[in-house]
Amino acid sequence: MTSNLFDLTGKLALVTGSSQGIGLALARGLIEAGARVVLNGRDPARLAAAAAGLGDGVVSPADGIGAFDVTDPDAVEAAIARIEAKCGAIEILVNNAGIQRRTTLEEFPVETWREVMRTNLDSVFFVGQAVARRMIPRGRGKIINIASLQSEAARPTIAPYTASKGAVKMLTRGMCADWAKHGLQINAIGPGYFDTELNRPLRENPVFDAWLRGRTPAGRWGRVEELCGAAVFLASRASDFVNGQVIYVDGGVLSVL
């Protein structure tokens, strides 16, 4: 049946950066579709608090299994090995961890540039590679990278973020080029402007808020749960011949001038 194409029952997923915001919402959506989810973040206490609201589908963070730094390749490799040994094969990976830093490009500190790239881009490579090395011998796996509206469009004061998310788009395509032949599907979701903690400074700025509502055909900010449909699609059998794509969930922003 067509409805079974979206069933994730029994699948194990890892969602990075999932103690709050978009990552937590995506974890909840995957659980509602039947998956078991390992949450990830650097703070075990925050992971435990996030897990408390997700019910039985979340893999218990009590032993700190998902508490690791996605920007540290050695920590990533150790954590992926530990997760697979204790919980089973990771069949779905959502590379969601990300940060935003805002200032004019001419004043942007070099170390902050590196911080943005480590978190937004390097982590996708580190975690994606570690998981793919295990998926490839099994001949199957779903990797979903979280790109952005800014993978296609720039705005003042966020050039490093834009560069990192543009690179995530192209890394997604590169992963497809290398790994699709092994039975993996690697795609990305490009969120537009969502009402999250990351966007709080923009949400609370009346001028930007009015601009965004006027610029978006849907006329509003996105709600994080509205990203779950795309995630479940890309994590499920429904997307078995979809590869190297970015699905923009942006209320129509990229469709209009």
Side-chain angles (χ1 to χ4, degrees):
M1 294 179 61
T2 303
S3 60
N4 292 337
L5 289 174
F6 300 91
D7 183 13
L8 302 180
T9 299
K11 304 288 187 181
L12 180 66
L14 168 63
V15 182
T16 69
S18 48
S19 61
Q20 64 178 351
I22 286 175
L24 182 57
L26 295 178
R28 180 175 290 108
L30 295 176
I31 288 170
E32 290 174 353
R36 296 181 300 131
V37 174
V38 176
L39 300 182
N40 160 260
R42 287 182 289 189
D43 185 338
R46 291 183 68 182
L47 288 179
L54 292 179
D56 295 337
V58 66
V59 175
S60 174
D63 59 358
I65 196 167
F68 63 93
D69 183 353
V70 294
T71 71
D72 179 341
D74 292 333
V76 166
E77 174 58 32
I80 299 307
R82 186 169 63 247
I83 291 168
E84 292 226 340
K86 291 188 174 183
C87 306
I90 297 171
E91 297 175 85
I92 301 161
L93 167 64
V94 182
N95 276 312
N96 169 75
I99 60 172
Q100 176 65 286
R101 301 288 184 261
R102 295 182 175 92
T103 194
T104 56
L105 187 57
E106 67 273 17
E107 300 295 334
F108 211 92
V110 170
E111 185 49 44
T112 307
W113 165 277
R114 290 174 177 155
E115 177 193 24
V116 171
M117 293 300 164
R118 283 194 302 267
T119 306
N120 293 0
L121 177 60
D122 292 356
S123 70
V124 177
F125 168 65
F126 296 151
V127 184
Q129 184 187 62
V131 172
R133 282 172 171 166
R134 293 161 170 84
M135 289 178 168
I136 287 169
R138 296 191 287 259
R140 66 185 186 280
K142 303 280 187 173
I143 297 176
I144 304 167
N145 298 326
I146 302 304
S148 172
L149 170 66
Q150 265 72 50
S151 297
E152 302 289 348
R155 282 190 56 255
T157 76
I158 59 167
Y161 181 86
T162 301
S164 71
K165 290 300 186 177
V168 168
K169 176 184 72 173
M170 295 310 298
L171 181 54
T172 300
R173 294 177 179 177
M175 288 175 168
C176 167
D178 274 71
W179 298 339
K181 63 180 176 286
H182 298 294
L184 280 59
Q185 289 83 52
I186 308 95
N187 294 286
I189 298 172
Y193 286 95
F194 281 75
D195 190 3
T196 64
E197 187 65 27
L198 198 69
N199 284 329
R200 179 181 294 225
L202 302 179
R203 186 72 178 82
E204 295 179 348
N205 182 325
V207 174
F208 186 89
D209 181 64
W211 174 85
L212 187 277
R213 292 175 186 274
R215 177 68 177 80
T216 304
R220 61 176 177 83
W221 293 76
R223 298 183 291 271
V224 289
E225 60 269 20
E226 292 175 308
L227 292 163
C228 294
V232 170
F233 167 64
L234 293 177
S236 70
R237 291 190 300 116
S239 60
D240 277 356
F241 203 56
V242 179
N243 232 322
Q245 303 302 308
V246 182
I247 298 178
Y248 290 99
V249 184
D250 67 353
V253 171
L254 287 175
S255 298
V256 298
L257 293 174

